Amino acid sequence: MAAYDSRKKRRYSGRSAVDGNLARKLDSRELERQLDRSGRMDFDQLYERPPETATERNARRRAQVRASVRAAQKVSPMALLGAICVAFLMVVLLLCYVRLNTISRSIVSMKAEISALEVQQVDLLTQYEKTFDLSAVKEAAMAAGMTQPSDSQIYYISLPGQDQATTHQARKAGALEQLADSLGRSICAAAEYFR
């Protein structure tokens, strides 16, 4: 047993060796005060931060500089071309919507005009039928003093022969006059042709 005690002493004979219990013994009043204070203390008061070292300060500043200054990035030509195409298509789509809206308005105005013209057509057809109503025409003719012609007022002319006319010239024109007359008719015929 003496060998066991000597080994034990050798093992725990160092500076950091502790023999026994390290727990603090608190009386009940002190425990109550600490518990009462612990609910009222701020986090910063309970745990104080160690002062920042120069290395940590420099590392934090480098991180801030890296975050604020970024290297310029190249824009891909395909991305730029795609953005231009999308913008162009958006403008074309907007113009198509404007055109569609204009066409819709013109269709609505044409439908309104068609309905007005249909009403006007019905009115005009009614007036037309009133003007050519035979009884209305007969009444209007009688009011104007017109009457049907009697048989004694009707004359028939019958001409002997066929339906043709003959002209007679009293004097004969000279050759020069005939030439001028035929030339004039030719010019008139050419002018009529080219009209």
Side-chain angles (χ1 to χ4, degrees):
M1 191 148 269
Y4 176 73
D5 285 337
S6 65
R7 272 187 284 157
K8 189 175 180 184
K9 282 185 183 177
R10 263 187 276 141
R11 196 180 330 160
Y12 296 114
S13 64
R15 195 173 178 200
S16 63
V18 175
D19 188 20
N21 191 357
L22 292 178
R24 287 177 53 191
K25 291 184 181 178
L26 300 173
D27 62 345
S28 62
R29 283 187 207 156
E30 187 178 339
L31 182 62
E32 286 178 13
R33 269 184 279 153
Q34 283 184 355
L35 287 175
D36 191 37
R37 270 192 322 221
S38 68
R40 295 181 192 163
M41 293 179 74
D42 291 337
F43 181 78
D44 291 339
Q45 291 175 347
L46 284 174
Y47 301 102
E48 291 184 16
R49 292 183 187 159
E52 189 177 31
T53 63
T55 312
E56 291 173 345
R57 194 177 317 120
N58 289 338
R60 184 174 45 83
R61 286 181 187 162
R62 270 189 249 119
Q64 286 176 346
V65 168
R66 253 188 261 126
S68 64
V69 179
R70 292 187 179 156
Q73 297 176 352
K74 287 187 176 181
V75 178
S76 170
M78 293 304 287
L80 184 63
L81 182 67
I84 290 171
C85 288
V86 167
F88 176 74
L89 290 176
M90 286 175 57
V91 168
V92 167
L93 182 67
L94 181 66
L95 292 176
C96 287
Y97 276 130
V98 169
R99 178 95 171 118
L100 182 66
N101 194 12
T102 306
I103 291 171
S104 300
R105 281 191 206 158
S106 66
I107 287 173
V108 168
S109 66
M110 285 180 186
K111 284 184 179 179
E113 188 178 342
I114 286 172
S115 63
L117 288 175
E118 285 175 349
V119 170
Q120 186 179 4
Q121 179 189 12
V122 170
D123 290 342
L124 291 175
L125 281 176
T126 306
Q127 289 177 2
Y128 178 77
E129 288 175 359
K130 282 182 182 178
T131 56
F132 287 106
D133 185 22
L134 290 179
S135 60
V137 170
K138 191 174 186 180
E139 289 174 9
M142 289 189 150
M146 300 174 112
T147 57
Q148 286 275 347
S150 63
D151 288 336
S152 64
Q153 294 174 332
I154 298 173
Y155 294 103
Y156 295 100
I157 301 173
S158 61
L159 296 173
Q162 299 174 351
D163 292 338
Q164 57 182 332
T166 307
T167 59
H168 299 281
Q169 291 184 346
R171 67 177 196 147
K172 294 257 183 184
L176 191 57
E177 290 177 6
Q178 285 180 354
L179 182 65
D181 188 35
S182 67
L183 186 63
R185 278 185 284 191
S186 302
I187 292 173
C188 287
E192 287 293 324
Y193 177 75
F194 287 112
R195 266 193 210 172

